[in-house]
């Protein structure tokens, strides 16, 4: 059950090392903050789950933000009604989102192609509107669902866990705080587990069936293979990953709001997956990290920082360069992201992972050909 091929085991070890050493290699990039690294890990989980549906089956969902929102609301309600321990909250978030995805998937998967995408988008927008207005008693509408000191927390009250708590209680893991670096390593471990599950799905007969559906669903149907249960299972698993990500967002920052269900959040996970590489194990993770880095660090670059960076060039050139580059940083970071997205889609349809494979293949060919030996000469 937990066995992996040698190749996948090496990939898992390398991936775990990269994730657990984030505070070291992100420090020179100015991104070694616990809060930001938590986002790197959480959105990577979101993208890994989305890739199970989009990457393996080719079904493009524009409504996965709804599952993030459901996971977030479920987690906060678990904190308010039961206990501040995160284990029940994560379990409830995954189960609730799975049931929710089952209902949406049942209806959405009755159509394919663009109609499937539009249906998922419609469901997500309905969820956003419900959370924002109709379900205000449950979601607290525009304000968002927050913790309160007088929340019942029946399980904690039974165990006396909140008797001497001052101020608002914080999420805990078996009584230990999960703030700061502890919160990051919690998210990092969950990310590694999510990556492992993704590896198992990719290598399983279930994953092979999903690839067959992506390749030619009509042919599989004609051979008597019922693809619907496989599609629905992939949709539910993908939704549960998103619910887990939503739960972790509320664990690291105990609130839930309707803005997490916006269609832009669904669009972001599509960008993450395509930028990194659809259908690959590492691609969605790389895409998620890249976009979150742009959103949080690259967008903070301002004109003064550019002037200081180009202070070594003559004044006229400095002014020209800073004027041009200032359009691509700060509030204009979306322009840089859009340009990068266009270039990758046009020249690297397989995303950054394809670019890496092309580069390594070229280096191997150059290494295999000795210096001065440009081509094979025929014998005379």
């Amino acid at each position: 059950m937990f066995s992996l091929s040698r190749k996948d085991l090496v990939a898992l070890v390398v991936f775990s090392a990269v994730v657990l050493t984030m505070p070291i290699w992100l420090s020179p990039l100015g991104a070694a903050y616990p809060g930001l690294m938590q986002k790197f890990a959480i959105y990577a989980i979101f993208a890994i789950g989305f890739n199970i549906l989009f990457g393996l089956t080719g079904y493009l969902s524009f409504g996965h933000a709804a599952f993030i929102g459901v996971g977030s609301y479920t987690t906060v309600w678990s904190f308010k009604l039961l206990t501040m321990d995160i284990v029940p909250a994560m379990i409830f978030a995954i189960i609730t989102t799975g049931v929710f995805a089952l209902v949406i998937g049942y209806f959405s998967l009755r159509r394919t192609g663009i109609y499937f995408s539009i249906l998922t988008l419609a469901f997500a927008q309905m969820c956003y509107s419900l959370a924002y207005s109709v379900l205000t008693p449950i979601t607290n509408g525009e304000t968002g669902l927050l913790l309160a000191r007088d929340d019942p927390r029946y399980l904690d009250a039974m165990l006396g866990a909140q008797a001497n708590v001052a101020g608002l209680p914080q999420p805990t893991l078996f009584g230990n705080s999960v703030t700061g670096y502890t919160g990051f390593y919690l998210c990092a471990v969950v990310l590694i587990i999510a990556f492992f599950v993704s590896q198992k799905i990719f290598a399983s007969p279930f994953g092979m069936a999903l690839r067959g559906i992506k390749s030619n669903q009509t042919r599989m149907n004609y051979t008597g293979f019922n693809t619907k249960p496989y599609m629905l299972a992939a949709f539910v698993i993908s939704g549960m990953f998103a619910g887990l990500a939503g739960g972790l967002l509320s664990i690291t920052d105990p609130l839930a709001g309707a803005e997490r269900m916006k269609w832009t959040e669904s669009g972001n996970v599509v960008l993450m997956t395509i930028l990194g590489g659809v259908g690959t194990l590492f691609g969605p993770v790389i895409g998620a990290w890249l976009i979150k880095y742009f959103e949080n660090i690259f967008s903070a670059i301002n004109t003064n920082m550019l002037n200081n960076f180009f202070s070594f060039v003559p004044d006229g050139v400095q002014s020209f360069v800073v004027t041009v580059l200032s359009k691509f940083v700060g509030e204009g970071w979306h322009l840089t992201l859009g340009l990068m997205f266009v270039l990758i889609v046009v020249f690297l349809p397989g995303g950054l992972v394809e670019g890496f494979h092309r580069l390594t293949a070229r280096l191997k060919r150059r290494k295999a050909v000795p210096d001065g030996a440009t081509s094979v000469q025929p014998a005379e």
Side-chain angles (χ1 to χ4, degrees):
M1 179 179 178
F2 298 103
S3 62
L4 289 172
S5 67
R6 182 181 178 84
K7 181 182 176 183
D8 282 346
L9 184 60
V10 171
L12 180 62
V13 171
V14 171
F15 181 77
S16 303
V18 170
V19 172
L20 295 175
T21 57
M22 266 188 179
I24 299 173
W25 59 267
L26 278 179
S27 184
L29 301 175
Y33 305 106
L36 182 55
M37 292 189 294
Q38 288 168 5
K39 286 185 178 178
F40 283 168
I42 292 170
Y43 280 93
I45 295 169
F46 186 24
I48 286 174
F50 183 77
N51 189 47
I52 290 174
L53 177 69
F54 182 40
L56 287 180
T57 70
Y59 275 60
L60 177 58
S61 168
F62 282 129
H64 263 47
F67 305 130
I68 280 235
V70 171
S72 296
Y73 283 120
T74 305
T75 300
V76 176
W77 271 113
S78 175
F79 289 154
K80 292 173 78 67
L81 294 179
L82 297 177
T83 172
M84 290 305 296
D85 196 284
I86 65 171
V87 174
M90 292 172 68
I91 294 173
F92 281 125
I94 293 172
I95 294 175
T96 306
T97 313
V99 174
F100 193 68
L102 181 66
V103 175
I104 292 183
Y106 176 79
F107 290 103
S108 300
L109 289 168
R110 301 178 78 83
R111 290 292 178 267
T112 60
I114 188 63
Y115 301 105
F116 167 80
S117 302
I118 295 299
L119 276 174
T120 54
L121 176 62
F123 274 116
Q125 282 301 101
M126 284 192 291
C127 292
Y128 171 74
S129 299
L130 287 171
Y132 208 74
S133 56
V134 179
L135 296 179
T136 298
I138 298 175
T139 62
N140 208 21
E142 183 180 359
T143 305
L145 194 61
L146 304 170
L147 295 180
R149 182 170 169 74
D150 57 351
D151 287 332
R153 279 184 279 279
Y154 295 111
L155 194 56
D156 279 351
M158 288 173 57
L159 300 174
Q162 59 179 3
N164 299 317
V165 173
L168 284 178
Q170 294 295 318
T172 59
L173 177 62
F174 304 125
N176 300 308
S177 174
V178 291
T179 57
Y181 280 99
T182 306
F184 160 66
Y185 281 108
L186 168 71
C187 297
V189 170
V190 177
L191 171 59
I192 292 169
I193 295 172
F195 185 81
F196 169 75
V197 173
S198 176
Q199 282 183 308
K200 295 294 291 182
I201 291 176
F202 269 64
S204 67
F206 172 69
M208 295 299 292
L210 295 181
R211 286 195 185 91
I213 293 171
K214 181 180 181 180
S215 176
N216 196 325
Q217 186 174 359
T218 305
R219 181 177 296 175
M220 293 190 73
N221 285 329
Y222 277 133
T223 59
F225 191 90
N226 186 4
T227 59
K228 290 295 182 185
Y230 287 83
M231 295 297 306
L232 187 56
F235 192 91
V236 171
I237 293 171
S238 181
M240 292 168 79
F241 271 76
L244 174 62
L248 287 172
L249 283 175
S250 290
I251 286 170
T252 53
D253 186 12
L255 60 88
E259 70 279 359
R260 287 181 183 166
M261 291 182 164
K262 273 187 175 178
W263 67 270
T264 50
E265 286 297 312
S266 299
N268 277 337
V269 75
V270 176
L271 290 179
M272 292 171 187
T273 309
I274 294 176
L275 276 178
V278 179
T280 62
L281 285 169
F282 290 101
V285 178
I286 296 171
W289 291 350
L290 186 67
I291 288 184
K292 284 300 160 186
Y293 182 82
F294 267 71
E295 182 181 319
N296 292 277
I297 302 298
F298 193 78
S299 63
I301 298 175
N302 54 35
T303 306
N304 290 333
M305 296 172 71
L306 288 176
N307 277 318
N308 290 332
F309 186 79
F310 291 101
S311 59
F312 62 93
V313 299
D315 289 344
V317 177
Q318 177 190 10
S319 177
F320 174 76
V321 172
V322 170
T323 301
V324 173
L325 291 183
S326 63
K327 308 301 180 187
F328 294 87
V329 297
E331 294 181 354
W333 72 274
H334 282 101
L335 184 60
T336 305
L337 183 63
L339 183 63
M340 183 186 302
F341 184 75
V342 170
L343 292 175
I344 287 179
V345 169
V346 172
F347 297 105
L348 294 173
L352 294 174
V353 171
E354 181 186 343
F356 175 77
H357 287 158
R358 285 190 188 182
L359 181 62
T360 52
R362 179 169 296 182
L363 291 176
K364 285 180 180 177
R365 283 199 301 270
R366 183 172 296 180
K367 189 176 180 181
V369 178
D371 294 340
T374 56
S375 62
V376 178
Q377 298 297 325
E380 295 182 357

